[in-house]
Amino acid sequence: NINIQNYEGKSALMFAIMLNQNNIVDLLLNNEKFDPNESNINLAFYISNSKQLLKCKSLDVNYIPLRNTNSFKVNNIVITKTPFIRSIIDNDLELFDLIVQHPSFIKYKTQIKNAILVALKFNKEKFIQKLLKLLEEFNIDVNSPIFDGDCLLIKAMMEDVNDKTITSILTCPNFNSKQSNFLNAFKLSYSYFSKQKDQKQSSINRSTSIEKIKIMDVLYEYDINHDHLIDLKGSSLLSDIYKYIFIDN
């Protein structure tokens, strides 16, 4: 019986996966006596993220063990490290696409939202672009406060993202600056310099500062071409940034 499990519930398939015996995995999957359920293929995939197993249509890519302890927190939200989430953390675009395209993949709102949180936390810009398309597919409003009362733009500004991620959000077909608390987002981009100024730090992380300026530039340029919400008249914003970068530091 090629599907038999030991007392720990591990089958020949699971051992082949754990030992990176790809040829044996293929032999098992293609054997007429192979039974995905008896061989515990869902657990094997959950543990391994093996792309080989995605060939099996009966695989459930959403499977989570009952006694799952593989989780972590992002902004106090507990997120399970499913293969879908791990593909983002591991920067594996191929695995991400294969999971999303698998017939068993369930695209529910919480899963997409958690994936976006993870992508923002780890600054995975390319995954953000793919996840934004999933939001569109499920008609989830990118301007809605789905992240603990904050919209996607504000949540992104709270994380250490780059200007490309912000651009991806702004160029969403349904993005609306008036509904996405745009002015507050711009203030958040400036807050970095305000904090540095108030703390009177003697050293500066120039790469971070340059990235923050790029984000401010992206937001300001977008506003010029759209709703004109930003008003710099009477503001010391530009002079403060200049003084902080070129004089204080």
Side-chain angles (χ1 to χ4, degrees):
N1 184 354
I2 64 171
N3 304 294
I4 195 168
Q5 301 177 16
N6 67 5
Y7 69 95
E8 292 181 326
K10 294 178 180 178
S11 62
L13 175 68
M14 294 184 69
F15 278 110
I17 290 289
M18 289 187 292
L19 296 172
N20 295 316
Q21 297 293 322
N22 296 334
N23 291 336
I24 295 178
V25 172
D26 279 336
L27 287 172
L28 289 168
L29 293 176
N30 295 321
N31 192 296
E32 60 180 14
K33 294 182 179 179
F34 177 74
D35 186 304
N37 292 326
E38 287 186 27
S39 286
N40 216 345
I41 191 173
N42 293 333
L43 181 59
F45 179 68
Y46 178 83
I47 293 172
S48 68
N49 280 13
S50 171
K51 295 169 187 174
Q52 279 182 283
L53 300 182
L54 286 160
K55 300 174 184 177
C56 183
K57 292 183 179 180
S58 61
L59 170 69
D60 181 4
V61 297
N62 311 287
Y63 172 82
I64 299 174
L66 290 176
R67 296 180 180 179
N68 173 62
T69 57
N70 194 11
S71 60
F72 65 110
K73 282 188 176 183
V74 175
N75 300 329
N76 295 320
I77 297 175
V78 178
I79 298 177
T80 300
K81 283 188 178 180
T82 61
F84 179 58
I85 293 296
R86 289 204 301 273
S87 71
I88 300 172
I89 297 173
D90 297 338
N91 213 35
D92 195 333
L93 283 167
E94 182 186 6
L95 179 61
F96 179 94
D97 287 338
L98 288 171
I99 291 174
V100 171
Q101 293 163 10
H102 195 273
S104 70
F105 182 64
I106 301 174
K107 304 171 187 175
Y108 56 93
K109 184 176 180 179
T110 300
Q111 179 165 238
I112 304 302
K113 184 180 77 171
N114 288 347
I116 290 175
L117 285 175
V118 171
L120 290 175
K121 186 69 176 178
F122 294 96
N123 200 13
K124 304 292 186 178
E125 171 224 329
K126 292 182 179 179
F127 289 90
I128 288 290
Q129 294 175 3
K130 289 178 177 291
L131 290 164
L132 287 174
K133 290 180 180 179
L134 289 179
L135 285 181
E136 288 179 46
E137 183 180 336
F138 280 81
N139 200 28
I140 300 174
D141 187 2
V142 70
N143 308 291
S144 61
I146 58 176
F147 299 100
D148 295 328
D150 291 318
C151 63
L152 179 57
L153 178 62
I154 295 297
K155 183 59 69 174
M157 293 301 301
M158 292 177 177
E159 300 293 346
D160 190 22
V161 300
N162 58 32
D163 60 307
K164 292 180 181 178
T165 295
I166 298 300
T167 299
S168 295
I169 296 172
L170 299 180
T171 53
C172 281
N174 297 323
F175 179 79
N176 186 317
S177 59
K178 292 181 178 179
Q179 297 175 10
S180 282
N181 208 349
F182 188 87
L183 208 53
N184 190 36
F186 188 74
K187 290 177 181 177
L188 285 172
S189 70
Y190 167 59
S191 65
Y192 170 80
F193 297 99
S194 297
K195 289 177 183 177
Q196 298 291 323
K197 177 184 175 183
D198 293 341
Q199 293 171 6
K200 297 181 180 179
Q201 294 187 5
S202 58
S203 62
I204 179 173
N205 185 329
R206 294 192 180 278
S207 60
T208 300
S209 297
I210 290 171
E211 192 57 57
K212 297 297 182 183
I213 291 173
K214 285 182 179 179
I215 291 174
M216 291 178 65
D217 187 48
V218 166
L219 291 170
Y220 189 62
E221 184 176 354
Y222 178 91
D223 189 59
I224 288 175
N225 295 320
H226 293 81
D227 296 316
H228 309 286
L229 300 175
I230 300 170
D231 183 6
L232 292 180
K233 292 180 180 178
S235 171
S236 62
L237 171 61
L238 298 181
S239 59
D240 284 348
I241 294 175
Y242 180 89
K243 182 176 182 294
Y244 174 73
I245 295 177
F246 297 105
I247 299 176
D248 294 345
N249 294 278

